[in-house]
Amino acid sequence: MYKITFVTSLLLMGSCTVNTYDYSSHTSYPGGTGSPPPDTIYIEPGGQPGGSAVIPPPVFPDTVFSRYPLVEGGFVEIEESMNWSRYTLIGCKTETDGVAFEMRPIVVSVTSSEGEITKDFQIEFSCVMQSLLVGSATESIILNDGVAPSGNDGTLLPVVTGTEVVAIVAERTSFPFLAEQAVNYSGNLKPDGTIMYEALFTLPQWMLRDICTAEELVTSSKTPEFRMIFGERERRLLQQFFDIFVIHDGDAPVLPVRGIEIAN
């Protein structure tokens, strides 16, 4: 019996990476105060499918990661810590010659001691544009915390205030997202001219609803100029995300969504 138990333990240890913290330097966590018990376990997330370069936000040692697979191939990344949860849709992408664009709606949920749930809504954009779309130095703008960075060749890239990062057109309504309104913006200009950026914005629930439930959805940019349509698959992912994680708080009573799997 001892040998069987010992072998089983080894197999379980090999299936995922687990770190146990003593919380000697951890005195608080989202939505609460004090120190949680020392037997709390943090499960480290693995790489994203398909090599998606998703930059994880700062997490607390007692945060547990899991994935909620959706119909159509995308999934929702779930982060949970005590009374705090964060849900991020992964897989809503569109691309054309020279541009790859991903939109990630996010719901942050906090439950009070009385059981009352408060939600904040965000949306994150991740975009990679090849040099063929960059027609001038003006179009090589990178905003990084309001500072104009210098390239290795000494070229100074201009900073433009009031810049429209991207616009999302939901049916007949256009929602512009401006750089100075971003909660976080990071950009990078590579030596080959490729521009990469990630931008995070807050938005009201009604705007997230209009974007996630639109029958026609387009992303467009003025500088550099591009316009791309989200396909039926992507719209279904957005609709599932809104229905399950905004309306039903993570439960799917009707949609045939597969069960939750822990990220290894």
Side-chain angles (χ1 to χ4, degrees), residues 188-229:
N188 182 26
L189 176 63
K190 293 190 173 183
D192 63 357
T194 301
I195 296 177
M196 304 176 64
Y197 73 77
E198 293 210 357
L200 178 67
F201 297 86
T202 59
L203 73 171
Q205 181 175 342
W206 67 264
M207 186 184 296
L208 182 65
R209 178 202 63 210
D210 287 358
I211 292 174
C212 288
T213 60
E215 292 298 325
E216 296 180 0
L217 196 62
V218 174
T219 177
S220 67
S221 172
K222 296 178 180 178
T223 306
E225 185 176 359
F226 66 79
R227 183 179 176 88
M228 295 182 293
I229 300 175

Side-chain angles (χ1 to χ4, degrees), residues 92-96 99-104 124-128 165-168 197 218-220 226 228 230:
C92 182
K93 303 177 181 179
T94 182
E95 59 183 296
T96 187
V99 183
F101 185 88
E102 181 174 5
M103 179 167 60
R104 309 180 193 122
E124 186 175 40
F125 304 117
S126 177
C127 186
V128 179
V165 177
V166 72
I168 301 298
Y197 73 77
V218 174
T219 177
S220 67
F226 66 79
M228 295 182 293
F230 285 96

Side-chain angles (χ1 to χ4, degrees), residues 6-245:
F6 179 73
V7 172
T8 304
S9 299
L10 289 178
L11 291 174
L12 289 174
M13 290 176 64
S15 63
C16 63
T17 303
V18 179
N19 295 332
T20 304
Y21 291 77
D22 60 6
Y23 292 90
S24 59
S25 61
H26 184 65
T27 58
S28 64
Y29 49 89
T33 58
S35 299
D39 58 351
T40 304
I41 292 177
Y42 165 59
I43 301 177
E44 293 184 348
Q48 301 296 342
S52 175
V54 178
I55 300 176
V59 296
F60 291 81
D62 53 353
T63 300
V64 177
F65 286 75
S66 60
R67 296 192 187 114
Y68 197 121
L70 300 174
V71 175
E72 304 290 350
F75 66 92
V76 176
E77 182 181 77
I78 302 174
E79 304 159 68
E80 298 175 295
S81 178
M82 304 299 290
N83 64 334
W84 174 89
S85 300
R86 177 186 173 104
Y87 309 104
T88 305
L89 176 62
I90 305 296
C92 182
K93 303 177 181 179
T94 182
E95 59 183 296
T96 187
D97 292 340
V99 183
F101 185 88
E102 181 174 5
M103 179 167 60
R104 309 180 193 122
I106 299 168
V107 177
V108 179
S109 177
V110 178
T111 304
S112 69
S113 57
E114 291 79 20
E116 196 172 310
I117 299 176
T118 302
K119 295 180 181 179
D120 290 322
F121 305 98
Q122 302 174 336
I123 195 163
E124 186 175 40
F125 304 117
S126 177
C127 186
V128 179
M129 293 171 283
Q130 301 300 323
S131 58
L132 61 91
L133 287 178
V134 183
S136 65
T138 302
E139 292 186 345
S140 299
I141 296 170
I142 298 177
L143 299 176
N144 187 5
D145 297 331
V147 178
S150 297
N152 294 332
D153 59 357
T155 302
L156 186 65
L157 299 177
V159 174
V160 177
T161 59
T163 302
E164 181 180 287
V165 177
V166 72
I168 301 298
V169 183
E171 298 183 8
R172 296 184 178 181
T173 305
S174 179
F175 299 108
F177 292 88
L178 305 181
E180 72 271 15
Q181 295 175 340
V183 175
N184 183 47
Y185 187 104
S186 60
N188 182 26
L189 176 63
K190 293 190 173 183
D192 63 357
T194 301
I195 296 177
M196 304 176 64
Y197 73 77
E198 293 210 357
L200 178 67
F201 297 86
T202 59
L203 73 171
Q205 181 175 342
W206 67 264
M207 186 184 296
L208 182 65
R209 178 202 63 210
D210 287 358
I211 292 174
C212 288
T213 60
E215 292 298 325
E216 296 180 0
L217 196 62
V218 174
T219 177
S220 67
S221 172
K222 296 178 180 178
T223 306
E225 185 176 359
F226 66 79
R227 183 179 176 88
M228 295 182 293
I229 300 175
F230 285 96
E232 184 176 352
R233 169 191 173 275
E234 287 70 33
R235 295 198 308 273
R236 287 181 178 176
L237 288 176
L238 291 166
Q239 291 168 2
Q240 289 178 73
F241 175 82
F242 188 83
D243 187 31
I244 298 172
F245 292 95

